Structures are given as C-alpha cells and as structure tokens.
Amino acid sequence: MEKAVAEVKVSSIFIYPVKSCRGISVSQAPVTPTGFRWDRQWLVVNYKGRAYTQRVEPKLALVEVQLPNEAFVENWEPAESSYLVLKAPGMDVLKVSLSTPKEIADGVSVWEWSGAALDEGADASKWFSDYLGKPCRLVRFNAASETRPVEPEYAPGHQTMFSDMYPYMLLSQESLDALNELLKEPIPINRFRPNILVNGCEPFSEDLWTEIRIDKLTFQGVKLCSRCKVPTIDQKTGIAGPEPNDTLKKIRSDAVLRPTKKQQGRVYFGQNLVCRDSLTGGGGKGHVIKVGDLVYVLKMVSSAEEAAA
C-alpha cells in the first residue's frame, strides 16, 4: 500500500565529503549503494591510521569543504582541474585533486573496520597536521579494492564508505522543531549531520518508516539512529555543551521510546537508511534525489518500540 503522508518532501540534501568536517547543502545528489556520491569519501587519520572525528577533534567542525557544482550531476567525471577545496581558520586554502591518488595507505581504521585507503599526499598531510597540531594524513576510500559492510544483522549485503554506520541518515524538520521547542537555545540541523532532511510530516514520524520511496528510488529504514556526543558540538565554534543531549535523554532515550526492550542507554534521533534498488546498469539514469522530491511511505511500524534500533 502506497501513501503519501500528507505531502512529505525532501527539503534539504547534505553531503559530508570529509568525515567530521563541514557539510555541503546541495539541490540534488547522485545515489550510490554506499551513500550519496562523495559522502564521507575522505577521512583524516592519525599516525596509526585511526580515524579522527569531532568526538576527539572538534576543530574539524570548522573545516569548510567545497566541491565543483557539477560534481553533483549524474555521471560527471572529474577533470584534471577538478578539486576538493578545504578552508579553515588561520590556514591557507588546500586544494586536493579529485583525480585518483597513486599512493596507498595501509592499516586505515574506522571503528571496527580496517583496510587500505588512497593517500592524498604530503601537502594534505601537512595541512591537517598543522591545523590539528599533531601528525595527520588525509585518505580517500578505495572503492576499487575495499568494502565496508554495515551491520549484517540489520541490512545484510549493504555497505558504506567512511560514514559511521549506514549509507544514509534521514531526519524531519518537524522533529528538529519539536526538539527546539524544548531547548533554551534552538540549534540548527547541522548538529545532527543528516543526509536527507524532509518536511511535511508529524514530529518523529520517521522513526516508524521501514520503507519509503523518493522519486523512483526505494529506501529501507534500517534502524533508529543512536546519537553520540557530536550533536553537543556547536558547528560554528567547535565548542561542546550539554545540549541537546541532556534534553534528548529525557524524551528520546531507549527507556522512554522502548521501555520493554533491552536497555542500552542510547538516545535516538533520525532513521538510518539503505537504498534497496540495484544501482547498476541502465547507465545510472534516474539515480538522483532532488530537493522538492515527494517522499512516499510504503511500509511503517506502529511505534518506536517496534522499530529496529
């Protein structure tokens, strides 16, 4: 049964090319099995190859990221003059070629995953090392040789690049508005780093969506998104405070939402997604989501208690 819930639409699309650095708001984005194209394709690592994130290095929140506008057009391929451009306070501009690097960095790790990545070279390494004040390298996911599976018990066969858990994360504007009504200081959506922001639904209704269609593409709602400390970091200053997590603990903890389930001390805000469609063949046509696309809810559960988490 297909129903458009009122008129739910995609209101914003965000891509985070470098994990834990600033996102880019775009009007459309090509969909791939591992997430939107360019999303979390780069990662800053320490001298041991371990991922740096805002949890440990909140200054990453101040790194601005730019890609060519045409990078979000279907089937676009970089030219030799195409760059990822990075800016940060007190730093010269860094330009990283979008051509595939030749160097390999072994022993790169993100959470439980480790593998080889592409090393973006000495200039990028020096830039991040100078900025964070400790040895760093900038690496790119090597999709030609590596795969990073998501949790097999939730979405077997699916994979992602350097995002925390899943290829896509969706939130509704109404959920953010409901949270902001409870906060002394309202916070912007960038605290939660979603890929897809929708509007036109009831607050927190995305908790219940197990299958949705956006334009021609079908997405599975895999599990509620449990939140870490990153939402407490002001993305303009890199300074952490107690909110919104203190308030989320009161209204969005597993004790509140899922009282009969095993308690894990988590708070939830948003829904993790995978794309159900085969994205191969057909020249990749139509595999784009645009701001303004309608969202159709195909399957849903009746309460957050029934949702996977």
Side-chain angles (χ1 to χ4, degrees):
M1 181 181 74
E2 183 173 303
K3 58 180 179 181
V5 179
E7 181 120 304
V8 186
K9 286 184 174 174
V10 175
S11 54
S12 297
I13 294 169
F14 301 102
I15 291 172
Y16 309 88
V18 184
K19 184 178 180 70
S20 268
C21 296
R22 282 199 182 158
I24 304 173
S25 179
V26 295
S27 59
Q28 67 168 51
V31 173
T32 83
T34 54
F36 285 130
R37 189 177 184 189
W38 309 113
D39 190 57
R40 276 88 168 200
Q41 204 161 339
W42 285 268
L43 177 70
V44 183
V45 297
N46 68 11
Y47 71 99
K48 291 182 176 174
R50 287 276 324 154
Y52 273 135
T53 73
Q54 283 187 34
R55 293 169 181 81
V56 181
E57 292 295 339
K59 277 178 74 175
L60 289 172
L62 309 184
V63 178
E64 286 181 51
V65 183
Q66 295 170 345
L67 281 170
N69 289 335
E70 57 273 22
F72 303 101
V73 175
E74 249 184 301
N75 302 325
W76 177 79
E77 289 304 326
E80 279 185 25
S81 58
S82 305
Y83 293 94
L84 172 76
V85 178
L86 301 175
K87 300 175 181 175
M91 301 294 294
D92 291 335
V93 173
L94 175 68
K95 294 173 81 173
V96 178
S97 172
L98 291 181
S99 303
T100 305
K102 306 278 189 291
E103 297 296 313
I104 299 288
D106 286 315
V108 167
S109 56
V110 178
W111 305 120
E112 72 310 323
W113 178 88
S114 63
L118 301 166
D119 194 314
E120 292 291 2
D123 289 352
S125 174
K126 183 176 185 332
W127 193 90
F128 274 103
S129 300
D130 289 349
Y131 179 60
L132 293 180
K134 54 190 73 172
C136 298
R137 300 203 76 79
L138 180 67
V139 299
R140 190 189 308 196
F141 195 86
N142 189 0
S145 72
E146 304 291 325
T147 56
R148 183 165 169 249
V150 303
E151 299 166 300
E153 64 270 34
Y154 288 95
H158 288 274
Q159 53 204 39
T160 188
M161 288 193 182
F162 290 135
S163 58
D164 262 5
M165 299 289 285
Y166 286 93
Y168 297 93
M169 203 274 281
L170 177 145
L171 255 178
S172 72
Q173 182 65 47
E174 287 77 9
S175 298
L176 180 65
D177 293 346
L179 173 63
N180 275 335
E181 282 178 21
L182 302 174
L183 298 176
K184 288 193 184 78
E185 302 269 328
I187 57 172
I189 192 63
N190 64 13
R191 294 284 194 102
F192 293 103
R193 303 174 73 80
N195 297 111
I196 302 167
L197 185 67
V198 302
N199 65 9
C201 60
E202 291 295 313
F204 310 114
S205 49
E206 65 269 27
D207 291 352
L208 311 179
W209 299 347
T210 54
E211 194 175 298
I212 62 172
R213 201 183 77 218
I214 304 176
D215 193 39
K216 303 182 189 72
L217 295 165
T218 306
F219 293 85
Q220 178 185 346
V222 175
K223 68 183 294 199
L224 301 181
C225 184
S226 65
R227 308 311 307 216
C228 61
K229 70 174 267 190
V230 169
T232 68
I233 299 168
D234 185 324
Q235 299 294 297
K236 278 190 180 152
T237 64
I239 297 168
E243 293 289 11
N245 288 17
D246 282 359
T247 297
L248 286 173
K249 280 177 193 151
K250 293 175 190 156
I251 63 164
R252 300 287 302 167
S253 70
D254 43 11
V256 172
L257 296 180
R258 306 165 61 76
T260 67
K261 304 286 187 187
K262 183 184 171 196
Q263 298 300 297
Q264 302 174 77
R266 292 186 177 157
V267 296
Y268 300 103
F269 200 68
Q271 175 77 259
N272 290 303
L273 305 176
V274 295
C275 186
R276 289 278 297 275
D277 295 304
S278 164
L279 298 170
T280 53
K285 288 282 176 265
H287 299 149
V288 168
I289 285 180
K290 296 183 172 73
V291 169
D293 280 348
L294 286 174
V295 179
Y296 296 92
V297 179
L298 308 182
K299 292 181 186 169
M300 59 192 294
V301 293
S302 59
S303 70
E305 191 128 30
E306 286 177 51

